[in-house]
Amino acid sequence: MWVEAYQKDEQLINDIKTSIFQTEGFRVWWLGQSGFLIQYLGKHLLFDPYLSDSLTKKYSSTDKPHTRISELVVNPALLDMIDVVTSSHNHTDHLDAETLLPIFEKNPTITMVIPEANRAFVVERLKCALDFPVGLNDNESIEIHPFKIYGVPAAHNVIERDEVGQLKYMGFIAEFGPYKVYHSGDTLWYDGMVEILKPFKVDIAFLPINGNKPERKVAGNLSFEEAARIGKEIEAKLVIPHHYHLFEFNTEDPENFVNKAHEYGTPYKVLRLGEKIEVI
């Protein structure tokens, strides 16, 4: 199996920059795995990018090979318009130095948002200043104009906190203008999840679908069925699936999600790699 990008590199960058002065609505591009780019009023928020082959190289000679099954969408050094970037937790496909360092170099005024519990780990991996990342916990938010970002729990596989009670795995709600989107990070369905998310009335929920299979020897996520069901229960206006079609051993057929979304009456959109959706 090999998944080609709908658009990539310079074509993708041109698509992003063509609409940078648009004042109506907002736009979203899927950059693969859990990476999504939000464009609103000429500003750009990048959720959890993984745009390298660092994990494939790292695990190439192990019993857990990370064999890539899709194209890299964009060289991170081409992303010179990023205002805010997130890392929801410390796993490399959400905190990748080979992705983030070129982005930092091209965007010297960027703000990075992380779980506060992960500050020391993030600083060590990225060799950045201790006060560079902005840390959040649940029930906290930060405003980075025009975005207001809220921290919410994620269970990967459990809700884990440090010794002072700060979350190590998080999701993020981003509010901008009249819009709200929810990026799950990596998470299972946990008690109270619907009650936390439903009041936000999100326009888009970005939800993983690759499931939780212990034989993969990695922490799991929502299944395609759970993603369709929780999208319906939180009354998201749209669900966009993620965390599939990157590694051969840890993927899912998005058509299975589509079938469940139809069954539950969950509004959805499956994006191709590098594809844009516009919300007005």
Side-chain angles (χ1 to χ4, degrees):
M1 178 186 193
W2 182 250
V3 181
E4 294 188 354
Y6 170 73
Q7 59 179 354
K8 61 181 182 177
D9 288 328
E10 295 293 350
Q11 184 182 5
L12 172 62
I13 296 300
N14 289 337
D15 190 32
I16 294 167
K17 293 190 173 181
T18 295
S19 57
I20 202 165
F21 296 111
Q22 193 164 325
T23 56
E24 282 190 288
F26 71 97
R27 285 143 297 285
V28 178
W29 290 263
W30 184 39
L31 303 188
Q33 193 67 338
S34 301
F36 290 93
L37 179 65
I38 307 288
Q39 181 188 74
Y40 176 69
L41 295 181
K43 298 293 185 180
H44 297 87
L45 165 61
L46 179 57
F47 286 115
D48 283 33
Y50 175 74
L51 298 167
S52 82
D53 283 317
S54 62
L55 284 167
T56 301
K57 290 180 283 188
K58 177 180 178 181
Y59 289 102
S60 61
S61 300
T62 73
D63 63 352
K64 194 168 63 175
H66 284 48
T67 304
R68 177 181 277 278
I69 59 173
S70 61
E71 280 193 287
L72 273 167
V73 172
V74 66
N75 180 339
L78 296 176
L79 295 170
D80 61 359
M81 75 298 287
I82 309 302
D83 300 285
V84 185
V85 65
T86 72
S87 166
S88 62
H89 63 285
N90 290 340
H91 293 159
T92 303
D93 57 332
H94 299 259
L95 179 68
D96 178 39
E98 289 188 26
T99 296
L100 292 167
L101 294 182
I103 291 174
F104 293 166
E105 184 175 348
K106 293 292 185 177
N107 301 276
T109 62
I110 197 169
T111 299
M112 183 181 192
V113 179
I114 65 168
E116 177 59 36
N118 299 346
R119 181 176 298 276
F121 187 98
V122 170
V123 167
E124 171 60 27
R125 174 166 288 183
L126 301 180
K127 310 302 181 191
C128 61
L130 183 64
D131 63 353
F132 170 66
V134 173
L136 280 181
N137 198 25
D138 51 341
N139 301 314
E140 294 180 356
S141 64
I142 183 165
E143 293 199 40
I144 309 160
H145 183 77
F147 305 105
K148 184 175 184 180
I149 300 175
Y150 302 82
V152 296
H156 193 45
N157 278 357
V158 298
I159 294 177
E160 187 176 345
R161 298 181 184 269
D162 65 10
E163 63 279 1
V164 295
Q166 298 174 132
L167 289 167
K168 295 184 178 182
Y169 301 95
M170 292 183 68
F172 300 108
I173 305 281
E175 180 179 9
F176 43 97
Y179 306 108
K180 295 186 185 76
V181 301
Y182 165 55
H183 189 282
S184 62
D186 281 357
T187 192
L188 301 182
W189 193 320
Y190 56 85
D191 288 344
M193 189 177 189
V194 171
E195 290 75 14
I196 289 170
L197 298 174
K198 188 174 179 180
F200 284 100
K201 302 183 185 301
V202 296
D203 295 275
I204 298 177
F206 303 110
L207 300 177
I209 63 168
N210 60 303
N212 182 31
K213 299 181 179 180
E215 63 269 23
R216 293 173 175 169
K217 303 177 186 176
V218 293
N221 275 316
L222 299 172
S223 68
F224 59 85
E225 184 274 335
E226 290 170 320
R229 182 158 46 98
I230 201 167
K232 180 68 171 181
E233 291 201 19
I234 69 173
E235 299 179 0
K237 295 184 180 69
L238 190 71
V239 174
I240 297 179
H242 68 83
H243 214 291
Y244 65 94
H245 282 177
L246 177 60
F247 299 125
E248 188 175 56
F249 81 104
N250 191 12
T251 190
E252 183 54 75
D253 185 345
E255 282 304 309
N256 292 329
F257 164 77
V258 168
N259 291 336
K260 285 297 180 181
H262 283 296
E263 181 179 322
Y264 288 120
T266 306
Y268 72 91
K269 173 70 175 179
V270 175
L271 292 179
R272 293 167 288 182
L273 292 164
E275 187 178 8
K276 172 179 67 179
I277 185 172
E278 188 161 14
V279 177
I280 301 294

